[in-house]
Each structure stands twice: as C-alpha cells, then as structure tokens.
Amino acid sequence: MAISSHLGQFYIDGAWVDPLPGATRLGVENPATEEIVGEVALGTEADADRAILAARAAFDGWTVVPVKERIALVKRILDVYTSRYEDFAQAMSTEMGAPIEWARGAQAWAGQVHIESTIKAAEEMTWEYMRGSTRIVHEGIGVCALITPWNWPMNQIACKVAPALIAGCTMVLKPSEIAPLSGLLFAEVCHEAGVPKGVFNLVNGMGPVVGARMSSHPEVDMVSFTGSTRAGTAIAAAAAPTVKRVAQELGGKSPNIILPSADIYEAVKAGVAGCFGNTGQSCDAPTRMFVPRARAEEAYAAAKEAADEVVIGPTTDAATTMGPLISKVQFDKVQRLIQAGIDEGARLICGGTGRPQGVNRGWYVQPTIFGEVTNEMTISREEIFGPVLSILPYDNLDQAVAMANDTPYGLAAYIAGPVEEAKPVARRLRAGTVNLNYPDWDTFAPFGGYKQSGNGREYAGWGIHDFCEIKGVVGWGG
C-alpha cells in the first residue's frame, strides 16, 4: 500500500509510537486532485527530544560495529526497499503529484540507486591508514539530525540515511510534513531490515518546531539539511551555539550556457526538458538559459516546440509527462513570479499565468518560457521552483560567464556545445556541479553548492565523508 498504516505515529527506539500530548495533525493533500488522502501527526519539541535521546543511547553501541556489518545492514535495507519499489512510486505520485512513470523511473529509482552507490563507495573506501607513525581513522560523527524536502523525497532520504548508517552514526529523520508518505514507508523498510533500536528514528513535524529543536539540541552532533536557503540560514544559526557540523544543500538558479558552436535546436530542447523535469521543482534545474544573441529567435522557436510537447494530465496516466506543483502555496508563488516577468518586460514565448487549458483542479501551471530576459529581472534572480525558463541573450562568451556567475547561488551549471570548448568554460563557473551536454545522472559525483547554495557534499563516498570525524592517533607506529 502507498499509504502507511503508521500515518499518525512516529518511529522511535525501534518501535512505532503515538505522539506525546500537544501534537497536532495535518492533512496530506494529493496536489493533482486537491483531495486529502490522510492525516500525518505533527510532533512537538518533546517528541523530538525522545527521538534524539534514543539516538544518543544507541550511538556508543552502533558506532563500534565493524564497517562490514554496517554495510551488510544497508544492503538489507536495499533489498527491502527494492521489494517495495512500487509502494514508494505510488506514495510519491500521491504525495507530490509526480506522474506515475516519473515516480517509478526517477523518484523511486533515485532512492534505490543512491543506496547502491553508497554501498559500493563504502566497500571501496579506506577507513583507516597510516601516515608516518600516525593512524588516521574515519569514524561516525555522532547523533545526526536529518531534515529532508518534499521535491525529491527518497533521493534526499537515501543520500543522508545510507551514508550516516555506514559511517556509524545514529539519527533522527524529519521528512517534509507535506510529503510524508514515502518517509514513513522508509521507516517501515528500516524496521523490516533489522536496524537496531535507536539507530534510526523518524519524527514528523513543522520546521520551526521539530526542525528547530533538532538543530539546537545539545545531544545532536550534526545537522544535514536540504531545503530553502532561508530555512538553511535559520538552521545554521540554531546550530551555532553548540558548534554542530552543518551540511546544507540549499537553493539554486542554475545557468545553462549554449555555446555559439552548439546545435542550437538540440541544445535548447534538451535544456527545456532539464528545466521542466519534476515540474521544475529541482534545486539544480537549469532555469537560466544563455544563448548567442544572433541566434535568439532560433532558440525561442526551439524552446516553444519543446514546451508544446509537454503532456499535462492525470498523474495516473502513463502518457503524462508533467504533473502539478506541490501545493497552493507553491502555485501562488509561481503565478506571482510569472506575472513579475510579464510586468518587468520579458517577452512571453509561451505559457503564462493560470492553469493549463482544460484543467480546473490540481495545482497545475502552464509550462512558461520567457525570452529577452535581462539579469536584473526578478525571474532571473529568484528561485521560482516551477516550470518557468528564462532565456537571456549574450553578445560574447565572457559576458555569458559573467551573467551566469552573477547570482547568490552556485549549486549547478550547464554547458552545451563541443566538449573541448566547454571544458575551459566549466572551470570559470562558480558551481558545485557543472554538466557538459546534459550527461546521465552520475551518483558518484559530488553534489553540493558554492555560495548560498550550501556547504558539504552528498552522494556515494562524498556523503560518507560528510558524516565522519577524522581522528589522528599519534604514535600508533611506535
């Protein structure tokens, strides 16, 4: 079943428990239909406290378990996850409005592939080694607070839980309260796989309550957060008095430079697909496309053609390629920003405000493309988090690079064109990941941002290192 039987409970110290007095409930909406599919419990600070204390009590025993045994546990988690793959796909299609084929082929797959990649990296990692007479040891940092978003639920849960477990950490997970179904299923998977009690805990709740308590609690050693830059700064401030490690994957406004020598038609169409994937709700989406000014009209025509190929419809339909936004709050934000683009004089190539034609319910928006955008416009500065693409013409490559870097964000960047021409441009872009010619997803590449897009790196071995302390035992060699 896609709906967990534990929707109103938390997973603490190896058991499903009811919330403590003071907890409230929140309806879980299917954004494609606006129907409430169930209610999730929202915990209090006291619920967070008991989960954190359970993790603290379990840490000393778990962190000394040999690495091979910790890897074996994560392999069991992978096996159970795979056996429930369709449940995860259905849950994410329901909770976030992902078209079912996207939920299967991208959302559920992301959780699976990241667990696989973390296992492989852990098996290849050198956990201890000698440097001179000193023994260098990688060991778990301690109790970790894991706070994950709604837009890629299993991607982010897997990218935090799997490396934290293998590193020897214990943890409390707070999934997004507006997309909690898949997180509860993941807790069921951990239980079935035999995770020792207290090692993995889950509490649902609001960020300013449960998230804030997790970030400030003196028994938490590290916070790993994925979400908005605004929330990330609040978490960093809450963590500062206890000098926790804080790893953050935050917002983005990723540039996509189409080189003058690129195949404009193919590069633009692929760029539109990248921007519109997941209904534009990806922090690393290529939302600012830079095209040679002399070929701007070709780019606009190719972009409109790509937008016209988007299929909007019921998320249960295999032909649907774009679902709704996650909520009315997000819908209203995207509408405001589309209107800002129109008001500030950008050229509307296609789309606009309002729902798509023939759609009267669900938080669906029109795939929207703006041309003749300048770097000062609101749609070029703010993270929209919807299927809205800004196309900015440039006169020369130096100008394109300067505009691409003129942002407070630095999560990802894209370049389309001959690889040898793209390589020197890649070195000039201030972003944690630079993608050349829309490559396949590399789950062994480091993922994280420069500037206000965060700090730390996730995926495979990079994620494991983020959850480790480095100890030097001096004199080990005699």
Side-chain angles (χ1 to χ4, degrees), residues 230-248:
R230 175 193 55 77
T233 58
I235 285 169
T242 47
V243 198
K244 304 183 194 309
R245 181 180 299 174
V246 179
Q248 299 175 317

Side-chain angles (χ1 to χ4, degrees), residues 370-393:
F370 285 102
E372 298 175 18
V373 177
T374 64
N375 225 30
E376 296 73 33
M377 291 181 179
T378 302
I379 55 173
S380 188
R381 307 301 300 179
E382 290 194 26
E383 184 178 34
I384 299 174
F385 233 59
V388 181
L389 174 65
S390 296
I391 302 181
L392 297 85

Side-chain angles (χ1 to χ4, degrees), residues 241-272:
T242 47
V243 198
K244 304 183 194 309
R245 181 180 299 174
V246 179
Q248 299 175 317
E249 193 263 283
L250 307 175
K253 194 69 179 176
S254 300
N256 181 11
I257 298 177
I258 312 297
L259 298 178
S261 52
D263 181 326
I264 293 289
Y265 178 80
E266 294 295 338
V268 168
K269 291 196 72 177
V272 172

Side-chain angles (χ1 to χ4, degrees), residues 92 95-96 107 148-158 179 182:
M92 287 183 280
E95 68 189 356
M96 59 176 295
Q107 291 285 356
T148 57
W150 50 260
N151 62 319
W152 284 93
M154 275 305 106
N155 181 83
Q156 291 309 125
I157 288 175
S182 55

